[in-house]
């Protein structure tokens, strides 16, 4: 069955100003996808400014309770990658998003973790030159993965599947279709294992 992931609005993650009515409307919009069992996960992608602290853990827990599960959380800061945080995510049943992105100081490493009944992997590309310095947002994700780079992950994805049951894998969209090319290549590699 086809599964969809739906991303939280930036008012919930980046600005953190969403009202109760905003959450009610978001949940109402999710109803048809939930009722048809097509919801893979809701993605909460937090910005680099979302530091790992008690106040932000409380906010994340509140967001999880307001939206419900399945919820996957993507952090942009390495300070969220610790055994304590991973155990806390398991306790509140929120999925940790594994990312492939440039290896820049302070960003998440290519960790392989499953903290809920599903695993979630996002490929952002490795365009380190344009990650922080770009004229247009899409320049950051202007990246075509090589087979060798994707092969680094194919075994990890199978491991996540054994740990969690199923894995949601996403490639960041790019207007030149690079995400589609990479996704097809990853599909081929996974069939070879």
């Amino acid at each position: 069955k086809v599964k969809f992931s739906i991303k939280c609005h930036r008012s919930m993650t980046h600005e953190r100003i969403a009202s109760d009515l905003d959450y009610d409307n978001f949940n109402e919009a999710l109803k048809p996808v939930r009722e048809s069992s097509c919801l893979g996960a809701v993605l909460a992608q937090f910005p680099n400014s979302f530091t790992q602290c008690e106040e932000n853990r409380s906010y994340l827990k509140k967001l999880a309770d307001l939206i419900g599960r399945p919820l996957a959380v993507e952090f942009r800061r390495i300070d969220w990658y610790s055994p304590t945080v991973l155990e806390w995510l398991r306790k509140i049943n929120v999925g940790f998003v594994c990312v492939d992105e440039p290896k820049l100081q302070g960003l998440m490493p290519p960790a392989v973790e499953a903290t809920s009944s599903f695993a979630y992997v996002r490929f952002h590309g490795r365009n380190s030159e344009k990650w922080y310095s770009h004229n247009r947002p899409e320049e950051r994700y202007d990246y075509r993965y090589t087979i060798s780079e994707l092969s680094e992950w194919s075994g990890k994805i199978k491991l996540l599947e054994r740990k969690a049951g199923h894995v949601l894998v996403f490639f960041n969209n790019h207007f030149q279709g690079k995400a589609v090319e990479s996704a097809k290549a990853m599909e081929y590699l996974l069939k070879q294992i």
Side-chain angles (χ1 to χ4, degrees):
K1 188 169 196 174
V2 174
K3 298 281 185 178
F4 295 92
S5 284
I6 298 170
K7 193 174 181 182
C8 289
H9 188 265
R10 67 180 294 110
S11 66
M12 299 171 182
T13 56
H14 288 59
E15 299 155 354
R16 298 182 287 286
I17 58 168
S19 67
D20 289 342
L21 180 60
D22 293 327
Y23 281 102
D24 289 345
N25 289 338
F26 186 76
N27 284 322
E28 187 65 28
L30 286 177
K31 253 188 200 177
V33 184
R34 285 189 192 276
E35 290 172 357
S36 64
S37 300
C38 290
L39 182 62
V42 173
L43 172 65
Q45 179 190 33
F46 286 95
N48 191 271
S49 61
F50 193 68
T51 59
Q52 199 282 113
C53 63
E54 188 59 41
E55 178 184 354
N56 287 342
R57 275 192 304 236
S58 294
Y59 181 83
L60 176 54
K61 174 70 167 71
K62 178 184 172 189
L63 179 137
D65 291 341
L66 287 169
I67 291 174
R69 311 307 188 273
L71 178 67
V73 62
E74 180 178 350
F75 302 111
R76 287 286 172 102
R77 298 176 58 94
I78 197 168
D79 61 347
W80 284 97
Y81 186 57
S82 74
T84 304
V85 170
L86 295 172
E87 188 53 41
W88 175 71
L89 291 173
R90 286 182 186 94
K91 183 178 175 184
I92 65 170
N93 192 27
V94 169
F96 174 85
V97 176
C98 307
V99 294
D100 185 90
E101 58 192 6
K103 293 178 182 172
L104 296 172
Q105 186 174 356
L107 291 182
M108 280 289 185
V112 180
E113 302 288 348
T115 59
S116 65
S117 60
F118 65 96
Y120 202 112
V121 182
R122 290 192 78 198
F123 288 86
H124 291 299
R126 298 178 183 182
N127 194 350
S128 57
E129 297 81 27
K130 295 286 185 176
W131 193 257
Y132 293 119
S133 177
H134 51 267
N135 295 320
R136 296 180 320 278
E138 66 269 13
E139 291 177 28
R140 174 183 271 191
Y141 308 111
D142 183 3
Y143 193 81
R144 181 175 281 110
Y145 280 92
T146 66
I147 292 295
S148 175
E149 290 168 336
L150 294 173
S151 294
E152 295 171 18
W153 274 95
S154 58
K156 294 174 183 179
I157 290 170
K158 286 294 188 179
L159 174 64
L160 286 168
E161 185 178 45
R162 288 192 295 276
K163 285 181 174 182
H166 72 278
V167 185
L168 302 166
V169 180
F170 295 89
F171 287 83
N172 214 319
N173 287 333
H174 189 267
F175 68 92
Q176 293 175 338
K178 294 176 182 176
V180 175
E181 292 172 9
S182 296
K184 286 181 177 181
M186 179 59 81
E187 181 181 35
Y188 171 80
L189 289 170
L190 290 171
K191 287 179 180 176
Q192 305 309 305
I193 298 177

